[in-house]
Amino acid sequence: GFRQIAAIFYRPNCINLIMVVIIQFGLLMGNNTLRLWLPQLFAAINDRSEVAKKEGFDLCRTLQTLIPNSTRSNGTCSVNYNNSEVYANNAICGAVAIVILLLSLPMVRLLGKKIVLCGSALGSGLCLIIIAYYGNHITVTLTLSSIHIGFNYVAFNTLLSSIVDLFPTTLRAMAVASAMAFGRFGSSVGNIIFPALLGIGCLYPFLTIGGIILVSAFLAMLLPDSDMKALK
């Protein structure tokens, strides 16, 4: 058993494994961090809807409402019970992600796994960076968030499919398990650093996570092309 597993610590399997786990770390950090924070973001947008009608939508001001405030206030607290837009926005994100996933199926056959993986990861990271600078409209924020999640799902699934081709049968399960473990670790790290970065400034969470996804896209370019490769 150990002799079979030991092959993963030698080139080229070792290099491929390192790149795969780093890519998966970045992808799942970007996906699960924003996806888990989106309902709260949409709720904050909904709560500030009346203010946005008068002063205009401001993503930074909306995000500031998510930061815990320890100061006491004697003012009247009002609760917005009209949350229909929150559920609608989350449903739109899910629907767009499904459409992008379905559209990616023929693209994998047409362009190949590596190009789809790199392109979708690149698009996912760029969406977050664009949100940071041009997300001062509810429609723009919703659209880019939906595209980001959809592209990230495509990259995630394409990477798992590529792992099957990159590693021989005796190492395949360990490679997939390692990638998923690092990916879940990335999800945990992302949800820890997101509020911390949010406390520094509204741009930093999107720029940081978007930058990490772009690093994953760059590493994906270095992976061997596994299309039409015979399984070992």
Side-chain angles (χ1 to χ4, degrees):
F2 179 76
R3 290 181 180 179
Q4 292 179 331
I5 297 175
I8 205 167
F9 299 106
Y10 297 95
R11 301 179 66 177
N13 295 324
C14 179
I15 303 299
N16 290 338
L17 181 64
I18 292 173
M19 288 194 294
V20 162
V21 297
I22 294 176
I23 294 170
Q24 189 77 307
F25 178 91
L27 290 178
L28 279 186
M29 172 187 279
N31 191 327
N32 289 333
T33 300
L34 186 65
R35 187 169 58 87
L36 294 177
W37 276 83
L38 268 182
Q40 188 68 30
L41 175 59
F42 289 144
I45 292 174
N46 185 61
D47 291 340
R48 284 184 53 86
S49 58
E50 294 300 324
V51 178
K53 291 178 182 178
K54 299 177 182 178
E55 302 177 1
F57 176 73
D58 191 327
L59 181 62
C60 285
R61 290 184 180 179
T62 303
L63 290 173
Q64 286 175 357
T65 62
L66 302 179
I67 302 174
N69 190 352
S70 59
T71 58
R72 295 185 178 182
S73 175
N74 295 324
T76 304
C77 179
S78 60
V79 180
N80 185 1
Y81 292 101
N82 184 15
N83 294 318
S84 58
E85 288 190 11
V86 177
Y87 298 109
N89 290 337
N90 282 286
I92 291 172
C93 282
V96 171
I98 292 174
V99 171
I100 292 176
L101 275 171
L102 293 176
L103 293 176
S104 69
L105 296 177
M107 300 303 293
V108 172
R109 287 192 174 186
L110 182 64
L111 301 176
K113 296 177 184 176
K114 185 175 180 178
I115 294 178
V116 172
L117 171 59
C118 297
S120 55
L122 181 64
S124 176
L126 288 177
C127 282
L128 287 182
I129 294 176
I130 295 173
I131 288 176
Y133 290 104
Y134 302 101
N136 287 329
H137 196 280
I138 297 175
T139 305
V140 174
T141 302
L142 175 61
T143 302
L144 291 175
S145 299
S146 303
I147 295 174
H148 156 72
I149 293 175
F151 277 170
N152 206 294
Y153 275 134
V154 172
F156 167 73
N157 287 288
T158 307
L159 179 63
L160 289 181
S161 178
S162 299
I163 292 175
V164 175
D165 299 333
L166 289 174
F167 295 91
T169 304
T170 54
L171 304 177
R172 200 167 292 147
M174 184 175 182
V176 173
S178 300
M180 292 302 298
F182 272 82
R184 299 304 178 190
F185 178 64
S187 300
S188 302
V189 172
N191 281 281
I192 292 173
I193 67 172
F194 190 90
L197 293 171
L198 194 59
I200 300 174
C202 64
L203 299 181
Y204 296 106
F206 299 101
L207 294 179
T208 301
I209 297 176
I212 292 174
I213 297 176
L214 291 181
V215 172
S216 297
F218 172 75
L219 289 177
M221 298 178 187
L222 304 179
L223 287 175
D225 193 350
S226 61
D227 289 323
M228 305 303 293
K229 182 179 179 181
L231 297 178
K232 297 180 181 179

